[in-house]
Amino acid sequence: METTWRPVLIVETEKPYWKPLQQFVKDERKKYTVFPPDKDVFAALHLTPYEKVSVLILGQDPYHEVGQAHGLCFSVRPDVAIPPSLQNIYKELHDDLGCTIPNHGYLTAWAEQGVLLLNAVLTVRAHQANSHQGKGWENFTDAIIRAVNEKPDRVVFVLWGAYARKKKPLINTTRHAIIESAHPSPLSAANGFFGSRPFSKINAALREAGKPEIDWQIPDL
């Protein structure tokens, strides 16, 4: 776990749910293929130190097909086909800010600028969506959201879809900003995600707080 997160989250790893959760994931890896690889489970925390978080984008479940998940929500490794939800994110990014659509779906350029790309559940069994829900990861990631909420400077929380919007009670809206809309998945993108202009809204909220804007253009590889 990224060292700047350790003092923030250490108390969570001492709570009763933590050891059973880790044992569950360990047992799952013995019996099944589990994504992402063990070394990537906390990749979002490694790439975006606590003190640098200025935007939090919340996903739900890691991608569950081979080679996709690497610890950042909506992101895939450079040599993996861009999933439909991310294709829709790129389309909206182009329509919103005019960014060119990159030739890959690897979002580390955002993470390195302070965009915490957090899934609510951090592991999944191969080919079985939501298979690790309700095992304890939600307790841990809720603690991450609460910790980010405690930051004194403004953070922009991005909640796409009904699942993410349920986390609104964890966020102090007098200090922080929330950008919300339908989810970018093909099932719902046309019902409120397209045209929502989240990226320009995020940068406007950061600008109002005197914080650096995010350069949303993902460079080609």
Side-chain angles (χ1 to χ4, degrees):
M1 200 181 299
E2 163 63 45
T3 54
T4 63
W5 285 97
R6 187 175 295 278
V8 177
L9 297 172
I10 192 68
V11 68
E12 285 301 306
T13 65
E14 295 168 351
K15 289 184 177 178
Y17 77 85
W18 183 255
K19 284 186 178 178
L21 168 61
Q22 298 310 305
Q23 189 62 50
F24 165 76
V25 175
K26 187 176 180 181
D27 292 344
E28 284 280 289
R29 289 192 189 279
K30 287 177 182 175
K31 291 184 282 186
Y32 309 100
T33 300
V34 171
F35 301 129
D38 191 50
K39 65 182 178 61
D40 290 333
V41 170
F42 300 110
L45 303 182
H46 282 281
L47 283 167
T48 312
Y50 177 70
E51 71 276 5
K52 196 172 179 181
V53 177
S54 61
V55 179
L56 189 157
I57 298 178
L58 184 66
Q60 184 171 354
D61 203 45
Y63 293 124
H64 56 266
E65 298 302 335
V66 175
Q68 291 181 313
H70 68 102
L72 305 183
C73 71
F74 297 108
S75 179
V76 291
R77 294 194 178 282
D79 55 349
V80 174
I82 301 172
S85 289
L86 184 53
Q87 290 180 29
N88 288 339
I89 290 170
Y90 281 166
K91 181 179 185 300
E92 180 61 20
L93 178 59
H94 171 74
D95 293 347
D96 185 1
L97 294 178
C99 293
T100 58
I101 295 175
N103 60 2
H104 63 91
Y106 195 49
L107 303 181
T108 54
W110 292 354
E112 290 167 350
Q113 293 181 74
V115 181
L116 183 63
L117 296 166
L118 180 69
N119 274 317
V121 176
L122 298 187
T123 55
V124 67
R125 191 186 297 177
H127 319 304
Q128 296 187 38
N130 304 320
S131 49
H132 286 188
Q133 281 195 0
K135 303 299 183 181
W137 279 128
E138 295 92 340
N139 295 344
F140 183 67
T141 55
D142 279 0
I144 293 173
I145 295 169
R146 289 191 185 96
V148 174
N149 179 65
E150 290 300 315
K151 287 170 66 80
D153 53 317
R154 174 177 285 182
V155 176
V156 184
F157 290 82
V158 182
L159 308 178
W160 288 329
Y163 182 92
R165 285 165 148 171
K166 290 178 183 176
K167 305 298 182 179
K168 284 166 71 173
L170 303 178
I171 302 164
N172 178 347
T173 54
T174 61
R175 183 162 69 248
H176 304 302
I178 294 179
I179 307 295
E180 57 182 311
S181 73
H183 195 276
S185 76
L187 295 174
S188 55
N191 297 319
F193 177 74
F194 289 139
S196 64
R197 300 179 65 86
F199 305 99
S200 57
K201 289 177 181 176
I202 293 166
N203 278 354
L206 293 174
R207 196 163 55 245
E208 286 173 11
K211 299 185 72 173
E213 298 179 30
I214 303 299
D215 177 2
W216 293 104
Q217 179 65 65
I218 298 284
D220 281 340
L221 293 176

